[in-house]
Amino acid sequence: MYTSKLQFRCEFTKHDADVFYTTNWVVNGELVLTEDAMKWDNGDVIANHTLTEAKLISVHITQVGFELRCSVRASFGKGTAASVPVMSDPKFIGIKISDKTLELSEGDFADISLQLTAPFGCGTTAGTCELNIESVHLVILASEWNKAATVRVFGQVSQSLGSSSNTLKLKLATPDVLFDNMFWVQLKKNTTLIARKSCHAVNDPHMLTFDGRRYEHQYEGVFTMYKHTIFPIEVQIQTADCGRGVHNAWCNCGVAIRAGRTVFEFNRCEGQSSIWTIEYTLCEDSGDVLQVKKKGNNYEVYLPTGGRVTVNVYGIYLNVYIYPSIQDVNNTRGLCGTLTANCRDDFFLRDGTYSTDVTATGDCGTTSNVWQNLLTTFSNSWK
């Protein structure tokens, strides 16, 4: 019957004299086993002194993840004085992790390298087998045990603001092989770049970019208010005639919030009905892609990035407020502009060029270019 087991040999060369050899096995700096003294016997002493799984279990070592060393002493007789031991270099048996401590900011990714230092088998199972590392959903094939594997770690974004540092422990474990290891992640939060930042479209609609630039958006149609440049996340607004005798004024009558292929939508644009249509479409995404909470006339929609969209419904109109996460820094486009802490670069068009309709002067808070309907090219590029 086929079988596979882990075993270790202490390799050394024969002395010129006809002597006895004693092999010692050291685990994590502690002597755990001493083999009986034997003569060279055509090198059979090395095979007879092999450290097997059975011998490891007999000294209560039942899982990998240990440092192993061996030493050899020579003597002229079994009970006579022996030479000074010659110690091998240490060898770690298990999975070596490139970073035992990882420093990571919220919203960032980091790669951890995993390297097996010894082959593994599947007991009495012949053929290809694999090692499943459950906590990171990683599979290593027995035939590729000596190839490094990479695990990507993501710093989960929380809803809170401020600066903080938390230390987390990530444990690696396997279901069938006696192995466990762990590494520490120091997760840092610094929301200085998004503190007190938001973008809004309030009727009819007056716009505020993430970096504080104000402008008018007096156009009819469907527009991209916010779009993440890396993740498939987008917020669109639809404007229609405000009615009530107001000439050439356009109000928000609909908003659609998308993450992946999941969409949450408010709409009363068609026919200017007084009844709101509120729809939630889940399409091949997990159920928690968008989290929606109702608070009075407000709907809070939480995005996978840690950002939040607030939809305020009043009468036949709605206002839209977008609160960014740290993952939005340098990654936003649309009517909300670019979140960079610089109001001078807000008006990028859909094609990536910059709008020449307005030359931003002064600080964001000055009255220059404020409440002026001069951004036709910019607004319509996001239609």
Side-chain angles (χ1 to χ4, degrees), residues 95-132:
I95 298 182
K96 186 181 293 184
I97 303 175
S98 58
D99 296 288
K100 297 291 285 187
T101 302
L102 182 68
E103 199 172 276
L104 189 64
S105 297
E106 284 193 2
D108 285 350
F109 291 90
D111 289 334
I112 301 290
S113 177
L114 306 180
Q115 176 68 65
L116 271 70
T117 61
F120 67 91
C122 295
T124 58
T125 303
T128 301
C129 61
E130 58 190 30
L131 180 67
N132 293 287

PDB file of all heavy atoms in Angstrom, residues 95-132:
ATOM      1  N   ILE A  95       5.780  26.203   7.597  1.00  0.00           N
ATOM      2  CA  ILE A  95       5.548  27.241   6.597  1.00  0.00           C
ATOM      3  C   ILE A  95       6.194  28.526   7.098  1.00  0.00           C
ATOM      4  O   ILE A  95       5.840  29.037   8.158  1.00  0.00           O
ATOM      5  CB  ILE A  95       4.048  27.460   6.342  1.00  0.00           C
ATOM      6  CG1 ILE A  95       3.416  26.173   5.785  1.00  0.00           C
ATOM      7  CG2 ILE A  95       3.836  28.607   5.357  1.00  0.00           C
ATOM      8  CD1 ILE A  95       1.955  26.304   5.450  1.00  0.00           C
ATOM      9  N   LYS A  96       7.142  29.020   6.337  1.00  0.00           N
ATOM     10  CA  LYS A  96       7.840  30.246   6.701  1.00  0.00           C
ATOM     11  C   LYS A  96       7.059  31.439   6.152  1.00  0.00           C
ATOM     12  O   LYS A  96       6.668  31.461   4.979  1.00  0.00           O
ATOM     13  CB  LYS A  96       9.260  30.234   6.138  1.00  0.00           C
ATOM     14  CG  LYS A  96      10.113  31.420   6.593  1.00  0.00           C
ATOM     15  CD  LYS A  96      11.501  31.357   5.983  1.00  0.00           C
ATOM     16  CE  LYS A  96      12.288  30.180   6.531  1.00  0.00           C
ATOM     17  NZ  LYS A  96      13.676  30.175   6.019  1.00  0.00           N
ATOM     18  N   ILE A  97       6.834  32.434   6.994  1.00  0.00           N
ATOM     19  CA  ILE A  97       6.093  33.632   6.615  1.00  0.00           C
ATOM     20  C   ILE A  97       7.078  34.776   6.447  1.00  0.00           C
ATOM     21  O   ILE A  97       7.956  34.988   7.280  1.00  0.00           O
ATOM     22  CB  ILE A  97       5.041  33.975   7.686  1.00  0.00           C
ATOM     23  CG1 ILE A  97       4.089  32.794   7.892  1.00  0.00           C
ATOM     24  CG2 ILE A  97       4.250  35.217   7.305  1.00  0.00           C
ATOM     25  CD1 ILE A  97       3.094  33.006   9.008  1.00  0.00           C
ATOM     26  N   SER A  98       6.926  35.522   5.345  1.00  0.00           N
ATOM     27  CA  SER A  98       7.888  36.584   5.042  1.00  0.00           C
ATOM     28  C   SER A  98       7.865  37.687   6.088  1.00  0.00           C
ATOM     29  O   SER A  98       8.893  38.269   6.414  1.00  0.00           O
ATOM     30  CB  SER A  98       7.593  37.177   3.660  1.00  0.00           C
ATOM     31  OG  SER A  98       6.265  37.690   3.601  1.00  0.00           O
ATOM     32  N   ASP A  99       6.684  38.004   6.620  1.00  0.00           N
ATOM     33  CA  ASP A  99       6.559  39.072   7.611  1.00  0.00           C
ATOM     34  C   ASP A  99       5.734  38.564   8.782  1.00  0.00           C
ATOM     35  O   ASP A  99       4.524  38.355   8.649  1.00  0.00           O
ATOM     36  CB  ASP A  99       5.876  40.306   7.016  1.00  0.00           C
ATOM     37  CG  ASP A  99       6.683  40.930   5.900  1.00  0.00           C
ATOM     38  OD1 ASP A  99       7.721  41.533   6.205  1.00  0.00           O
ATOM     39  OD2 ASP A  99       6.281  40.814   4.730  1.00  0.00           O
ATOM     40  N   LYS A 100       6.386  38.380   9.916  1.00  0.00           N
ATOM     41  CA  LYS A 100       5.650  37.959  11.109  1.00  0.00           C
ATOM     42  C   LYS A 100       4.850  39.118  11.698  1.00  0.00           C
ATOM     43  O   LYS A 100       3.852  38.921  12.388  1.00  0.00           O
ATOM     44  CB  LYS A 100       6.603  37.418  12.169  1.00  0.00           C
ATOM     45  CG  LYS A 100       7.353  36.174  11.741  1.00  0.00           C
ATOM     46  CD  LYS A 100       6.439  34.969  11.612  1.00  0.00           C
ATOM     47  CE  LYS A 100       6.033  34.411  12.937  1.00  0.00           C
ATOM     48  NZ  LYS A 100       5.295  33.152  12.827  1.00  0.00           N
ATOM     49  N   THR A 101       5.302  40.342  11.439  1.00  0.00           N
ATOM     50  CA  THR A 101       4.564  41.533  11.854  1.00  0.00           C
ATOM     51  C   THR A 101       4.410  42.447  10.650  1.00  0.00           C
ATOM     52  O   THR A 101       5.388  42.772   9.982  1.00  0.00           O
ATOM     53  CB  THR A 101       5.298  42.278  12.990  1.00  0.00           C
ATOM     54  OG1 THR A 101       5.481  41.400  14.094  1.00  0.00           O
ATOM     55  CG2 THR A 101       4.501  43.486  13.446  1.00  0.00           C
ATOM     56  N   LEU A 102       3.179  42.836  10.381  1.00  0.00           N
ATOM     57  CA  LEU A 102       2.869  43.627   9.192  1.00  0.00           C
ATOM     58  C   LEU A 102       2.211  44.928   9.627  1.00  0.00           C
ATOM     59  O   LEU A 102       1.301  44.929  10.457  1.00  0.00           O
ATOM     60  CB  LEU A 102       1.932  42.843   8.280  1.00  0.00           C
ATOM     61  CG  LEU A 102       1.535  43.489   6.960  1.00  0.00           C
ATOM     62  CD1 LEU A 102       2.747  43.585   6.042  1.00  0.00           C
ATOM     63  CD2 LEU A 102       0.439  42.674   6.278  1.00  0.00           C
ATOM     64  N   GLU A 103       2.680  46.042   9.060  1.00  0.00           N
ATOM     65  CA  GLU A 103       2.085  47.339   9.336  1.00  0.00           C
ATOM     66  C   GLU A 103       1.256  47.744   8.129  1.00  0.00           C
ATOM     67  O   GLU A 103       1.759  47.796   7.010  1.00  0.00           O
ATOM     68  CB  GLU A 103       3.176  48.367   9.615  1.00  0.00           C
ATOM     69  CG  GLU A 103       2.695  49.604  10.331  1.00  0.00           C
ATOM     70  CD  GLU A 103       3.834  50.513  10.758  1.00  0.00           C
ATOM     71  OE1 GLU A 103       4.415  50.272  11.836  1.00  0.00           O
ATOM     72  OE2 GLU A 103       4.148  51.433   9.995  1.00  0.00           O
ATOM     73  N   LEU A 104      -0.019  48.021   8.348  1.00  0.00           N
ATOM     74  CA  LEU A 104      -0.948  48.220   7.250  1.00  0.00           C
ATOM     75  C   LEU A 104      -1.910  49.351   7.601  1.00  0.00           C
ATOM     76  O   LEU A 104      -2.394  49.435   8.735  1.00  0.00           O
ATOM     77  CB  LEU A 104      -1.734  46.927   7.009  1.00  0.00           C
ATOM     78  CG  LEU A 104      -2.612  46.815   5.777  1.00  0.00           C
ATOM     79  CD1 LEU A 104      -1.770  46.888   4.510  1.00  0.00           C
ATOM     80  CD2 LEU A 104      -3.381  45.498   5.800  1.00  0.00           C
ATOM     81  N   SER A 105      -2.186  50.211   6.633  1.00  0.00           N
ATOM     82  CA  SER A 105      -3.161  51.276   6.826  1.00  0.00           C
ATOM     83  C   SER A 105      -4.518  50.835   6.298  1.00  0.00           C
ATOM     84  O   SER A 105      -4.590  50.019   5.370  1.00  0.00           O
ATOM     85  CB  SER A 105      -2.722  52.558   6.104  1.00  0.00           C
ATOM     86  OG  SER A 105      -1.520  53.058   6.639  1.00  0.00           O
ATOM     87  N   GLU A 106      -5.567  51.368   6.880  1.00  0.00           N
ATOM     88  CA  GLU A 106      -6.910  51.049   6.397  1.00  0.00           C
ATOM     89  C   GLU A 106      -7.024  51.408   4.918  1.00  0.00           C
ATOM     90  O   GLU A 106      -6.600  52.473   4.489  1.00  0.00           O
ATOM     91  CB  GLU A 106      -7.963  51.822   7.195  1.00  0.00           C
ATOM     92  CG  GLU A 106      -8.208  51.268   8.576  1.00  0.00           C
ATOM     93  CD  GLU A 106      -9.464  51.844   9.206  1.00  0.00           C
ATOM     94  OE1 GLU A 106     -10.147  52.637   8.533  1.00  0.00           O
ATOM     95  OE2 GLU A 106      -9.770  51.482  10.356  1.00  0.00           O
ATOM     96  N   GLY A 107      -7.590  50.491   4.138  1.00  0.00           N
ATOM     97  CA  GLY A 107      -7.768  50.714   2.711  1.00  0.00           C
ATOM     98  C   GLY A 107      -6.602  50.274   1.856  1.00  0.00           C
ATOM     99  O   GLY A 107      -6.689  50.297   0.633  1.00  0.00           O
ATOM    100  N   ASP A 108      -5.491  49.858   2.491  1.00  0.00           N
ATOM    101  CA  ASP A 108      -4.312  49.427   1.740  1.00  0.00           C
ATOM    102  C   ASP A 108      -4.249  47.901   1.639  1.00  0.00           C
ATOM    103  O   ASP A 108      -4.856  47.184   2.429  1.00  0.00           O
ATOM    104  CB  ASP A 108      -3.035  49.930   2.405  1.00  0.00           C
ATOM    105  CG  ASP A 108      -2.808  51.414   2.186  1.00  0.00           C
ATOM    106  OD1 ASP A 108      -3.545  51.990   1.351  1.00  0.00           O
ATOM    107  OD2 ASP A 108      -1.925  51.985   2.838  1.00  0.00           O
ATOM    108  N   PHE A 109      -3.474  47.440   0.665  1.00  0.00           N
ATOM    109  CA  PHE A 109      -3.213  46.017   0.484  1.00  0.00           C
ATOM    110  C   PHE A 109      -1.742  45.734   0.779  1.00  0.00           C
ATOM    111  O   PHE A 109      -0.881  46.599   0.578  1.00  0.00           O
ATOM    112  CB  PHE A 109      -3.517  45.578  -0.954  1.00  0.00           C
ATOM    113  CG  PHE A 109      -4.976  45.606  -1.317  1.00  0.00           C
ATOM    114  CD1 PHE A 109      -5.539  46.751  -1.861  1.00  0.00           C
ATOM    115  CD2 PHE A 109      -5.784  44.492  -1.125  1.00  0.00           C
ATOM    116  CE1 PHE A 109      -6.878  46.777  -2.208  1.00  0.00           C
ATOM    117  CE2 PHE A 109      -7.120  44.514  -1.461  1.00  0.00           C
ATOM    118  CZ  PHE A 109      -7.675  45.659  -2.003  1.00  0.00           C
ATOM    119  N   ALA A 110      -1.461  44.533   1.236  1.00  0.00           N
ATOM    120  CA  ALA A 110      -0.084  44.088   1.413  1.00  0.00           C
ATOM    121  C   ALA A 110      -0.012  42.596   1.101  1.00  0.00           C
ATOM    122  O   ALA A 110      -0.977  41.859   1.322  1.00  0.00           O
ATOM    123  CB  ALA A 110       0.408  44.363   2.828  1.00  0.00           C
ATOM    124  N   ASP A 111       1.114  42.170   0.562  1.00  0.00           N
ATOM    125  CA  ASP A 111       1.304  40.765   0.205  1.00  0.00           C
ATOM    126  C   ASP A 111       2.189  40.069   1.234  1.00  0.00           C
ATOM    127  O   ASP A 111       3.235  40.595   1.630  1.00  0.00           O
ATOM    128  CB  ASP A 111       1.939  40.639  -1.178  1.00  0.00           C
ATOM    129  CG  ASP A 111       0.974  41.029  -2.290  1.00  0.00           C
ATOM    130  OD1 ASP A 111      -0.239  40.903  -2.069  1.00  0.00           O
ATOM    131  OD2 ASP A 111       1.441  41.468  -3.356  1.00  0.00           O
ATOM    132  N   ILE A 112       1.752  38.894   1.652  1.00  0.00           N
ATOM    133  CA  ILE A 112       2.519  38.038   2.554  1.00  0.00           C
ATOM    134  C   ILE A 112       2.962  36.807   1.771  1.00  0.00           C
ATOM    135  O   ILE A 112       2.151  36.172   1.088  1.00  0.00           O
ATOM    136  CB  ILE A 112       1.662  37.596   3.758  1.00  0.00           C
ATOM    137  CG1 ILE A 112       1.167  38.808   4.533  1.00  0.00           C
ATOM    138  CG2 ILE A 112       2.453  36.664   4.660  1.00  0.00           C
ATOM    139  CD1 ILE A 112       2.230  39.536   5.280  1.00  0.00           C
ATOM    140  N   SER A 113       4.238  36.485   1.842  1.00  0.00           N
ATOM    141  CA  SER A 113       4.763  35.311   1.148  1.00  0.00           C
ATOM    142  C   SER A 113       4.822  34.120   2.102  1.00  0.00           C
ATOM    143  O   SER A 113       5.332  34.233   3.214  1.00  0.00           O
ATOM    144  CB  SER A 113       6.153  35.610   0.588  1.00  0.00           C
ATOM    145  OG  SER A 113       6.695  34.460  -0.036  1.00  0.00           O
ATOM    146  N   LEU A 114       4.273  32.980   1.654  1.00  0.00           N
ATOM    147  CA  LEU A 114       4.307  31.736   2.421  1.00  0.00           C
ATOM    148  C   LEU A 114       5.184  30.732   1.685  1.00  0.00           C
ATOM    149  O   LEU A 114       5.017  30.522   0.488  1.00  0.00           O
ATOM    150  CB  LEU A 114       2.900  31.164   2.591  1.00  0.00           C
ATOM    151  CG  LEU A 114       1.828  32.074   3.195  1.00  0.00           C
ATOM    152  CD1 LEU A 114       0.509  31.325   3.291  1.00  0.00           C
ATOM    153  CD2 LEU A 114       2.259  32.562   4.560  1.00  0.00           C
ATOM    154  N   GLN A 115       6.117  30.113   2.413  1.00  0.00           N
ATOM    155  CA  GLN A 115       7.026  29.161   1.786  1.00  0.00           C
ATOM    156  C   GLN A 115       7.137  27.916   2.654  1.00  0.00           C
ATOM    157  O   GLN A 115       7.577  28.001   3.805  1.00  0.00           O
ATOM    158  CB  GLN A 115       8.405  29.790   1.598  1.00  0.00           C
ATOM    159  CG  GLN A 115       9.450  28.849   1.046  1.00  0.00           C
ATOM    160  CD  GLN A 115       9.190  28.453  -0.390  1.00  0.00           C
ATOM    161  OE1 GLN A 115       9.238  29.296  -1.273  1.00  0.00           O
ATOM    162  NE2 GLN A 115       8.887  27.184  -0.622  1.00  0.00           N
ATOM    163  N   LEU A 116       6.737  26.748   2.117  1.00  0.00           N
ATOM    164  CA  LEU A 116       6.939  25.491   2.819  1.00  0.00           C
ATOM    165  C   LEU A 116       8.427  25.165   2.810  1.00  0.00           C
ATOM    166  O   LEU A 116       9.105  25.320   1.790  1.00  0.00           O
ATOM    167  CB  LEU A 116       6.162  24.355   2.166  1.00  0.00           C
ATOM    168  CG  LEU A 116       4.725  24.131   2.668  1.00  0.00           C
ATOM    169  CD1 LEU A 116       3.808  25.254   2.241  1.00  0.00           C
ATOM    170  CD2 LEU A 116       4.194  22.792   2.195  1.00  0.00           C
ATOM    171  N   THR A 117       8.943  24.693   3.931  1.00  0.00           N
ATOM    172  CA  THR A 117      10.366  24.356   4.031  1.00  0.00           C
ATOM    173  C   THR A 117      10.608  22.860   3.972  1.00  0.00           C
ATOM    174  O   THR A 117      11.751  22.421   4.055  1.00  0.00           O
ATOM    175  CB  THR A 117      10.953  24.915   5.336  1.00  0.00           C
ATOM    176  OG1 THR A 117      10.267  24.311   6.447  1.00  0.00           O
ATOM    177  CG2 THR A 117      10.788  26.420   5.400  1.00  0.00           C
ATOM    178  N   ALA A 118       9.545  22.086   3.855  1.00  0.00           N
ATOM    179  CA  ALA A 118       9.666  20.628   3.735  1.00  0.00           C
ATOM    180  C   ALA A 118       8.482  20.128   2.932  1.00  0.00           C
ATOM    181  O   ALA A 118       7.388  20.718   2.975  1.00  0.00           O
ATOM    182  CB  ALA A 118       9.694  19.967   5.111  1.00  0.00           C
ATOM    183  N   PRO A 119       8.641  19.062   2.171  1.00  0.00           N
ATOM    184  CA  PRO A 119       7.514  18.526   1.396  1.00  0.00           C
ATOM    185  C   PRO A 119       6.481  17.889   2.307  1.00  0.00           C
ATOM    186  O   PRO A 119       6.729  17.597   3.471  1.00  0.00           O
ATOM    187  CB  PRO A 119       8.181  17.482   0.493  1.00  0.00           C
ATOM    188  CG  PRO A 119       9.403  17.073   1.239  1.00  0.00           C
ATOM    189  CD  PRO A 119       9.878  18.283   1.972  1.00  0.00           C
ATOM    190  N   PHE A 120       5.305  17.706   1.768  1.00  0.00           N
ATOM    191  CA  PHE A 120       4.251  17.020   2.525  1.00  0.00           C
ATOM    192  C   PHE A 120       3.595  15.987   1.616  1.00  0.00           C
ATOM    193  O   PHE A 120       3.638  16.072   0.389  1.00  0.00           O
ATOM    194  CB  PHE A 120       3.207  18.011   3.048  1.00  0.00           C
ATOM    195  CG  PHE A 120       2.388  18.680   1.969  1.00  0.00           C
ATOM    196  CD1 PHE A 120       1.190  18.126   1.537  1.00  0.00           C
ATOM    197  CD2 PHE A 120       2.816  19.868   1.395  1.00  0.00           C
ATOM    198  CE1 PHE A 120       0.433  18.740   0.549  1.00  0.00           C
ATOM    199  CE2 PHE A 120       2.069  20.490   0.405  1.00  0.00           C
ATOM    200  CZ  PHE A 120       0.876  19.925  -0.020  1.00  0.00           C
ATOM    201  N   GLY A 121       3.002  14.999   2.232  1.00  0.00           N
ATOM    202  CA  GLY A 121       2.273  13.974   1.495  1.00  0.00           C
ATOM    203  C   GLY A 121       0.876  13.834   2.044  1.00  0.00           C
ATOM    204  O   GLY A 121       0.444  14.615   2.896  1.00  0.00           O
ATOM    205  N   CYS A 122       0.164  12.829   1.573  1.00  0.00           N
ATOM    206  CA  CYS A 122      -1.221  12.638   2.002  1.00  0.00           C
ATOM    207  C   CYS A 122      -1.427  11.247   2.588  1.00  0.00           C
ATOM    208  O   CYS A 122      -2.415  10.563   2.277  1.00  0.00           O
ATOM    209  CB  CYS A 122      -2.170  12.878   0.829  1.00  0.00           C
ATOM    210  SG  CYS A 122      -2.136  14.580   0.237  1.00  0.00           S
ATOM    211  N   GLY A 123      -0.467  10.815   3.397  1.00  0.00           N
ATOM    212  CA  GLY A 123      -0.640   9.533   4.077  1.00  0.00           C
ATOM    213  C   GLY A 123      -0.715   8.373   3.115  1.00  0.00           C
ATOM    214  O   GLY A 123       0.207   8.119   2.341  1.00  0.00           O
ATOM    215  N   THR A 124      -1.836   7.665   3.135  1.00  0.00           N
ATOM    216  CA  THR A 124      -2.017   6.482   2.283  1.00  0.00           C
ATOM    217  C   THR A 124      -2.682   6.822   0.966  1.00  0.00           C
ATOM    218  O   THR A 124      -3.046   5.925   0.205  1.00  0.00           O
ATOM    219  CB  THR A 124      -2.857   5.436   3.016  1.00  0.00           C
ATOM    220  OG1 THR A 124      -4.126   6.000   3.374  1.00  0.00           O
ATOM    221  CG2 THR A 124      -2.146   4.956   4.273  1.00  0.00           C
ATOM    222  N   THR A 125      -2.872   8.123   0.674  1.00  0.00           N
ATOM    223  CA  THR A 125      -3.509   8.535  -0.571  1.00  0.00           C
ATOM    224  C   THR A 125      -2.454   8.697  -1.651  1.00  0.00           C
ATOM    225  O   THR A 125      -1.541   9.507  -1.514  1.00  0.00           O
ATOM    226  CB  THR A 125      -4.281   9.848  -0.397  1.00  0.00           C
ATOM    227  OG1 THR A 125      -5.244   9.679   0.636  1.00  0.00           O
ATOM    228  CG2 THR A 125      -4.974  10.246  -1.689  1.00  0.00           C
ATOM    229  N   ALA A 126      -2.583   7.930  -2.721  1.00  0.00           N
ATOM    230  CA  ALA A 126      -1.635   8.036  -3.827  1.00  0.00           C
ATOM    231  C   ALA A 126      -2.049   9.165  -4.757  1.00  0.00           C
ATOM    232  O   ALA A 126      -3.204   9.574  -4.797  1.00  0.00           O
ATOM    233  CB  ALA A 126      -1.568   6.717  -4.586  1.00  0.00           C
ATOM    234  N   GLY A 127      -1.096   9.670  -5.544  1.00  0.00           N
ATOM    235  CA  GLY A 127      -1.410  10.685  -6.533  1.00  0.00           C
ATOM    236  C   GLY A 127      -1.303  12.083  -5.961  1.00  0.00           C
ATOM    237  O   GLY A 127      -0.708  12.328  -4.921  1.00  0.00           O
ATOM    238  N   THR A 128      -1.932  13.032  -6.680  1.00  0.00           N
ATOM    239  CA  THR A 128      -1.843  14.440  -6.314  1.00  0.00           C
ATOM    240  C   THR A 128      -2.676  14.733  -5.073  1.00  0.00           C
ATOM    241  O   THR A 128      -3.812  14.292  -4.953  1.00  0.00           O
ATOM    242  CB  THR A 128      -2.336  15.320  -7.473  1.00  0.00           C
ATOM    243  OG1 THR A 128      -1.534  15.054  -8.628  1.00  0.00           O
ATOM    244  CG2 THR A 128      -2.211  16.788  -7.124  1.00  0.00           C
ATOM    245  N   CYS A 129      -2.098  15.476  -4.149  1.00  0.00           N
ATOM    246  CA  CYS A 129      -2.855  15.912  -2.988  1.00  0.00           C
ATOM    247  C   CYS A 129      -2.523  17.374  -2.738  1.00  0.00           C
ATOM    248  O   CYS A 129      -1.636  17.940  -3.369  1.00  0.00           O
ATOM    249  CB  CYS A 129      -2.567  15.052  -1.768  1.00  0.00           C
ATOM    250  SG  CYS A 129      -0.838  15.077  -1.245  1.00  0.00           S
ATOM    251  N   GLU A 130      -3.237  17.981  -1.815  1.00  0.00           N
ATOM    252  CA  GLU A 130      -3.091  19.416  -1.609  1.00  0.00           C
ATOM    253  C   GLU A 130      -3.216  19.761  -0.140  1.00  0.00           C
ATOM    254  O   GLU A 130      -3.782  19.018   0.658  1.00  0.00           O
ATOM    255  CB  GLU A 130      -4.125  20.179  -2.429  1.00  0.00           C
ATOM    256  CG  GLU A 130      -5.547  19.792  -2.118  1.00  0.00           C
ATOM    257  CD  GLU A 130      -6.544  20.368  -3.105  1.00  0.00           C
ATOM    258  OE1 GLU A 130      -6.192  20.579  -4.287  1.00  0.00           O
ATOM    259  OE2 GLU A 130      -7.691  20.612  -2.681  1.00  0.00           O
ATOM    260  N   LEU A 131      -2.673  20.940   0.183  1.00  0.00           N
ATOM    261  CA  LEU A 131      -2.724  21.466   1.537  1.00  0.00           C
ATOM    262  C   LEU A 131      -3.606  22.701   1.521  1.00  0.00           C
ATOM    263  O   LEU A 131      -3.349  23.652   0.781  1.00  0.00           O
ATOM    264  CB  LEU A 131      -1.307  21.831   2.003  1.00  0.00           C
ATOM    265  CG  LEU A 131      -1.163  22.395   3.413  1.00  0.00           C
ATOM    266  CD1 LEU A 131      -1.499  21.334   4.463  1.00  0.00           C
ATOM    267  CD2 LEU A 131       0.251  22.918   3.634  1.00  0.00           C
ATOM    268  N   ASN A 132      -4.672  22.683   2.317  1.00  0.00           N
ATOM    269  CA  ASN A 132      -5.598  23.806   2.372  1.00  0.00           C
ATOM    270  C   ASN A 132      -5.314  24.637   3.616  1.00  0.00           C
ATOM    271  O   ASN A 132      -5.382  24.132   4.737  1.00  0.00           O
ATOM    272  CB  ASN A 132      -7.045  23.305   2.413  1.00  0.00           C
ATOM    273  CG  ASN A 132      -7.445  22.635   1.110  1.00  0.00           C
ATOM    274  OD1 ASN A 132      -7.647  23.288   0.106  1.00  0.00           O
ATOM    275  ND2 ASN A 132      -7.557  21.316   1.139  1.00  0.00           N
TER     276      ASN A 132
END
